[in-house]
Amino acid sequence: MEIREKQDRGKQNCAVLWYDRPASDWNEALPVGNGRIGGMVYGNVGCEQIQVNEDTIWYGGPMDRNNPSAREKLPLIRQLIKSGKIHEAERLCRQALSGTPFGMRIYQTLGDIAIDYDFGRDIAVEDVSAYERGLNVEDALSYTQFQLDDTVYERELFMSAPDDVCVIRLTARGKNKMNLEVTQSRHHMYDYSEKASEDSVMLGGNLGRDGLDYAMMCKASSPDGKVEVIGESIVVYDAAEVDLYWSAATTYRVKVQCEDENLDESLAKKKALKAVLTEKLEKAASKSYDELKKRHIADYQSYFDRMSLTFDLDRAAFSTAQKTTDRCLAEIANGSTDLGLEQLYFNFGRYLLISCSRPGTLPATLQGLWNRDMEAPWDAKFTININTEMNYWPAEVCGLGDCHLPLFDLLKRMLPNGRKTAEVMYGCRGFVAHHNTDIWGDTAPQDLWIPGSFWVMGGAWLCTHIWTHYEYTGDEDFLREMFPIMREAAQFFLDFCIEHEIDKKTYLCTCPSVSPENTFILPNGEQGANSIGVTMDNQILRDLFCQCNKAAKILGISDALDRQIADACERLIPTRIGSDGRILEWCEEYAEKEPGHRHISHLYGLHPSDQITKDGTPEFARAAELTLQKRLECGGGHTGWSRAWIMNHYAKLWDGEKAHENLRQLLIQSTLPNLFDNHPPFQIDGNFGSIAAMVEMLVQSNTDRIVLLPALPEAWRSGTITGVRVRGNACMNIAWKDQKLVKAQICSGRDTVRTFVYHDRRVELMLPEGVWTEITFS
């Protein structure tokens, strides 16, 4: 069996998720995607189900939700906060600062594809033998296979980026042929489902008032069977081999030109979508299956093969090759360490990013590309107070900087909306965004959530990713293009911040200001979330302001705004340590309502920033360690993405054992059977944050130095990481054996001098552009 042989090779490389039963629910199904379209494959025996997504299936059109009362009431809100009347201030915030309406647009499922086999009787998984389903993340192929009545049935599926279609190969090898029916559905939320041609069907509709029109189309072909369309179904008879081609589109990308003035607008959109999908599927069907598959694998591997992480393979490969993935997950709860599962988890995380965020697509949402619901948890939007940012933490270090680009496209869409929000709601220049955004780049506050909604730092945090991308790529053209957005984000805070005195010194502070989603307790017992100049705000602004000044210098810009930004940076509240030795979360030493809160926002300066480092600011590193200790003692890390953030924190503190233990706990407590991260429910940020931490455990870089194996745990005794990117536009290969560095190489994208640190040793090397240089420590 060709499929089984190929997957056995992948299992030895810790690159195959595999199972001996079909998925019992969505959290066991396996994800496929090409960045724009995606699906969740169940691997059912009698009736296969593939839940499908398209990245622009968002209900409703753009809205202006800026609250017209905000600008008038902002001074009173600030006065109430300064007076300690937090309850009154927050009540007014809810009325005057909330978006109108309070919610933005939501990301929805596209629907489902069903492939219903007619075996002549009802068949369950217990009726078949040699059942296996899986996902090979080396070549981005999903497969299902089983035997029934001396016939082997196989399904292979991939989402091709080069051809922008889903391709499904169905085969029956043995005495029996296939009789099957293929249908598309979208609950009851569609306008038409009909024959599109003699071998294809199309389903479509509209996504609400001012919303997009959408359609999906499926086409079938068989070299030996009969194919016909009956009603809204494709029916195939007596086939040993069937190929299905599927794709979807919306009017977000398909532009409609109605040349016939008598043609209804909705019909014109339907006609345009049908033409686009028909052309896609016909082009795909004109190629052989092998050619489509070859093109798909070559494209995917051009991303996946850029880097690798391999542990001691003799130990690692055994578990994932011999045991199903869900069994491996279950067994580590007994206290064992499974290097094969950890390596597979890392590979799966890279696979997810490649599959849900490509140049030209939308960025990864709270659920990446994959969403089964019409109304998903938190609307499956872009949550920009940690989650969207975490989605892209592994992008640069894993050599996937081009997967980062959709985030910057989103920032461009947010810019005009953010300017309007800044002016209408706050009377400020520049651009601002709060803690969520959507497909249209909405920047007004989301929800009526006092601890989160009125946080004005979302756009600022996203802008720090511009500098990160530049640091890893050295792409000056990119920096020049995006620099105005950074400056407008900074400009907003020059107007928005107020002066506030602490310990007889006057600082520039945000107000109102929240430490995302956390709540403090005042000395009088009153609880609140909104205050002045919280630590995270100051840390984000310090990054943004400094990065703006550095970018200006690189681009040869020196003007009044540049000087104002530099001056404002010097006037921010510094990160401070409280009386108990921990990093202060707010500008005053308040008690915490939830000492084990999932957000650890006041450690932004430790990660993703490098304002706090083990070797540069040891006093603050110790305070950060105490902060983490207290959070975990009080139940912190109880969500998947929070645990991933903790992993990164411990990696930055060079504590490999605690970083690795948190990886184990994430796998035990916060990982679903299909290796999706479990908040709960599913959120993809934990997948991405944790693999970023795995890299941070092995190499860390900033402008001052590159640290090798800073947080290597005992469990990872031997291994290699190749193709890993570091700041300064360079690529590295690192190998270690028995906990000791044995080889390190670097190739720089420019002539430069870099400093390298390994344990207590330090070396400075001249690096010529484009030449691999060995790093040795005397």
Side-chain angles (χ1 to χ4, degrees):
M1 297 169 67
E2 179 184 351
I3 292 179
R4 186 178 293 276
E5 292 172 358
K6 185 173 181 64
Q7 306 321 326
D8 285 345
R9 291 194 296 273
K11 289 174 187 176
Q12 294 295 329
N13 295 334
C14 305
V16 177
L17 290 73
W18 65 285
Y19 307 83
D20 57 10
R21 297 183 65 84
S24 62
D25 63 28
W26 193 86
N27 292 322
E28 295 181 2
L30 295 172
V32 291
N34 71 358
R36 191 186 72 81
I37 53 175
M40 295 291 289
V41 185
Y42 282 68
N44 293 331
V45 171
C47 184
E48 174 63 294
Q49 178 184 357
I50 306 162
Q51 181 269 317
V52 289
N53 291 104
E54 199 271 357
D55 67 343
T56 62
I57 300 293
W58 291 68
Y59 185 83
M63 293 186 290
D64 180 353
R65 301 188 307 107
N66 294 300
N67 193 319
S69 301
R71 186 170 178 175
E72 176 191 351
K73 298 299 183 182
L74 181 61
L76 178 55
I77 290 169
R78 287 172 164 170
Q79 181 181 334
L80 290 169
I81 290 174
K82 281 193 166 189
S83 302
K85 299 177 180 179
I86 305 301
H87 176 74
E88 291 180 52
E90 292 185 336
R91 186 174 180 85
L92 187 54
C93 282
R94 187 190 297 267
Q95 297 161 353
L97 299 186
S98 297
T100 52
F102 69 81
M104 56 184 66
R105 298 311 191 184
I106 64 175
Y107 180 51
Q108 296 184 324
T109 180
L110 175 56
D112 294 271
I113 303 168
I115 306 171
D116 191 1
Y117 287 75
D118 182 2
F119 293 115
R121 64 189 191 278
D122 292 336
I123 297 295
V125 68
E126 292 79 13
D127 301 318
V128 305
S129 60
Y131 178 91
E132 184 174 311
R133 68 182 175 97
L135 172 66
N136 188 325
V137 300
E138 281 186 323
D139 50 20
L141 293 172
S142 167
Y143 67 93
T144 304
Q145 54 198 18
F146 55 88
Q147 185 168 333
L148 176 66
D149 298 338
D150 299 321
T151 300
V152 174
Y153 295 89
E154 295 180 337
R155 294 193 290 267
E156 190 171 61
L157 182 153
F158 57 89
M159 291 278 184
S160 167
D163 293 287
D164 201 25
V165 295
C166 173
V167 183
I168 309 170
R169 164 64 62 92
L170 314 171
T171 58
R173 306 182 192 281
K175 67 179 183 179
N176 295 325
K177 298 288 186 75
M178 291 180 290
N179 295 292
L180 50 86
E181 177 184 353
V182 183
T183 56
Q184 302 177 113
S185 61
R186 191 175 193 258
H187 303 275
H188 302 291
M189 306 297 290
Y190 57 93
D191 298 332
Y192 59 86
S193 178
E194 61 193 33
K195 178 178 180 178
S197 71
E198 295 305 315
D199 58 10
S200 62
V201 291
M202 177 174 167
L203 178 151
N206 175 262
L207 295 170
R209 182 177 179 182
D210 299 324
L212 301 166
D213 279 51
Y214 69 91
M216 56 177 163
M217 183 181 289
C218 188
K219 177 183 178 70
S221 69
S222 174
D224 62 324
K226 177 185 175 183
V227 177
E228 69 172 331
V229 173
I230 303 177
E232 60 179 2
S233 302
I234 300 174
V235 184
V236 183
Y237 309 93
D238 299 321
E241 182 177 289
V242 179
D243 288 331
L244 301 179
Y245 312 91
W246 177 90
S247 195
T250 76
T251 49
Y252 185 83
R253 296 188 179 95
V254 176
K255 303 308 176 186
V256 179
Q257 293 182 343
C258 187
E259 298 176 355
D260 183 353
E261 61 182 22
N262 296 317
L263 185 62
D264 179 84
E265 183 181 2
S266 63
L267 292 178
K269 292 177 180 178
K270 177 180 176 181
K271 182 179 178 181
L273 290 168
K274 181 177 181 179
V276 166
L277 292 174
T278 298
E279 182 180 12
K280 271 187 205 298
L281 300 192
E282 287 183 352
K283 280 186 176 180
S286 69
K287 300 180 178 74
S288 70
Y289 178 79
D290 288 342
E291 182 183 358
L292 289 168
K293 182 176 173 180
K294 184 178 180 181
R295 284 162 55 84
H296 159 70
I297 292 175
D299 169 79
Y300 171 77
Q301 290 182 344
S302 71
Y303 290 84
F304 188 80
D305 290 348
R306 293 175 188 176
M307 71 93 66
S308 67
L309 171 60
T310 306
F311 299 127
D312 182 341
L313 199 56
D314 289 340
R315 296 170 62 198
F318 176 78
S319 62
T320 54
Q322 302 298 321
K323 304 173 188 175
T324 60
T325 303
D326 51 343
R327 182 181 167 193
C328 289
L329 266 178
E331 289 185 357
I332 64 170
N334 298 325
S336 62
T337 294
D338 189 332
L339 292 184
L341 181 62
E342 292 177 19
Q343 186 173 320
L344 173 61
Y345 185 79
F346 182 82
N347 287 330
F348 179 63
R350 292 192 299 128
Y351 164 84
L352 290 177
L353 186 56
I354 298 166
S355 300
C356 76
S357 184
R358 295 278 197 102
T361 72
L362 295 187
T365 71
L366 202 59
Q367 297 183 189
L369 180 59
W370 301 278
N371 169 31
R372 63 180 169 179
D373 299 309
M374 289 292 183
E375 294 187 52
W378 301 285
D379 305 329
K381 298 190 298 297
F382 306 110
T383 304
I384 57 176
N385 69 358
I386 175 62
N387 314 93
T388 299
E389 290 87 353
M390 185 180 285
N391 284 350
Y392 289 94
W393 286 356
E396 303 297 339
V397 293
C398 290
L400 299 175
D402 38 1
C403 293
H404 209 165
L405 297 179
L407 186 65
F408 306 124
D409 292 337
L410 177 62
L411 259 174
K412 294 173 189 175
R413 287 194 297 276
M414 293 168 65
L415 181 61
N417 299 326
R419 287 170 178 158
K420 187 169 184 179
T421 299
E423 169 61 25
V424 171
M425 290 190 60
Y426 303 111
C428 297
R429 299 169 298 164
F431 117 94
V432 66
H434 294 81
H435 88 299
N436 271 258
T437 189
D438 64 10
I439 185 175
W440 306 112
D442 195 325
T443 54
Q446 164 71 26
D447 294 330
L448 303 171
W449 175 230
I450 291 295
S453 293
F454 313 121
W455 186 70
V456 293
M457 306 303 299
W461 192 348
L462 289 180
C463 282
T464 67
H465 282 244
I466 296 171
W467 182 251
T468 298
H469 184 71
Y470 169 75
E471 281 192 300
Y472 279 91
T473 64
D475 188 342
E476 199 167 307
D477 291 337
F478 166 82
L479 184 64
R480 183 173 289 105
E481 177 189 6
M482 299 299 295
F483 177 64
I485 302 179
M486 297 172 67
R487 289 244 284 189
E488 289 200 47
Q491 187 180 44
F492 169 80
F493 291 98
L494 299 183
D495 292 353
F496 180 80
C497 287
I498 64 171
E499 292 187 336
H500 181 63
E501 187 175 294
I502 301 175
D503 297 331
K504 298 182 180 180
K505 186 172 180 179
T506 301
Y507 296 97
L508 282 181
C509 301
T510 51
C511 181
S513 171
V514 300
S515 189
E517 304 186 24
N518 207 354
T519 300
F520 56 80
I521 304 173
L522 294 174
N524 65 5
E526 184 176 351
Q527 297 180 6
N530 286 263
S531 64
I532 303 172
V534 303
T535 297
M536 184 188 218
D537 289 9
N538 303 323
Q539 292 173 342
I540 291 175
L541 288 181
R542 187 167 292 109
D543 271 354
L544 176 63
F545 290 169
C546 288
Q547 291 163 9
C548 280
N549 289 143
K550 290 177 183 177
K553 185 175 182 180
I554 291 167
L555 299 174
I557 296 170
S558 178
D559 56 17
L561 180 56
D562 185 47
R563 291 187 290 275
Q564 290 165 12
I565 292 170
D567 177 65
C569 189
E570 293 299 318
R571 299 179 63 196
L572 296 171
I573 302 174
T575 299
R576 296 180 299 151
I577 299 173
S579 61
D580 60 0
R582 294 185 292 149
I583 302 291
L584 286 183
E585 186 162 0
W586 295 276
C587 71
E588 303 292 342
E589 195 163 355
Y590 298 134
E592 303 153 275
K593 180 183 177 182
E594 295 181 65
H597 198 273
R598 60 194 175 277
H599 282 260
I600 318 167
S601 302
H602 45 319
L603 294 191
Y604 167 96
L606 178 64
H607 191 84
S609 182
D610 63 356
Q611 295 172 38
I612 299 171
T613 62
K614 181 76 171 177
D615 51 344
T617 60
E619 180 184 4
F620 285 95
R622 175 56 182 160
E625 187 175 358
L626 290 175
T627 303
L628 286 171
Q629 180 181 320
K630 179 69 171 179
R631 271 288 201 267
L632 288 169
E633 287 174 353
C634 296
H638 53 277
T639 69
W641 64 262
S642 180
R643 183 75 68 179
W645 201 356
I646 290 168
M647 284 176 60
N648 281 277
H649 288 319
Y650 276 122
K652 285 289 193 70
L653 292 171
W654 300 357
D655 191 332
E657 298 311 316
K658 287 181 180 175
H660 185 259
E661 178 56 26
N662 277 280
L663 172 60
R664 288 190 68 258
Q665 292 305 317
L666 183 143
L667 291 170
I668 293 168
Q669 300 180 30
S670 300
T671 300
L672 295 164
N674 60 4
L675 297 191
F676 269 168
D677 174 69
N678 193 19
H679 173 75
F682 161 56
Q683 285 184 196
I684 205 165
D685 40 21
N687 288 101
F688 295 141
S690 54
I691 69 166
M694 293 174 76
V695 176
E696 294 285 349
M697 293 162 72
L698 300 174
V699 60
Q700 294 173 21
S701 63
N702 60 22
T703 55
D704 297 326
R705 81 289 189 263
I706 298 171
V707 187
L708 308 183
L709 307 181
L712 182 67
E714 172 66 26
W716 297 356
R717 289 199 59 81
S718 303
T720 59
I721 185 168
T722 65
V724 63
R725 303 289 301 181
V726 293
R727 286 177 170 85
N729 186 20
C731 183
M732 294 193 69
N733 299 326
I734 302 170
W736 67 97
K737 186 172 180 60
D738 296 328
Q739 293 277 290
K740 296 179 180 178
L741 178 70
V742 295
K743 188 173 185 178
Q745 301 171 304
I746 188 167
C747 183
S748 176
R750 60 187 176 90
D751 293 339
T752 188
V753 176
R754 300 299 299 270
T755 298
F756 300 87
V757 176
Y758 174 60
H759 293 173
D760 59 350
R761 288 175 278 177
R762 179 180 293 260
V763 64
E764 187 177 274
L765 296 176
M766 174 71 74
L767 304 178
E769 178 182 349
V771 176
W772 282 98
T773 302
E774 297 284 337
I775 305 164
T776 57
F777 296 88
S778 57

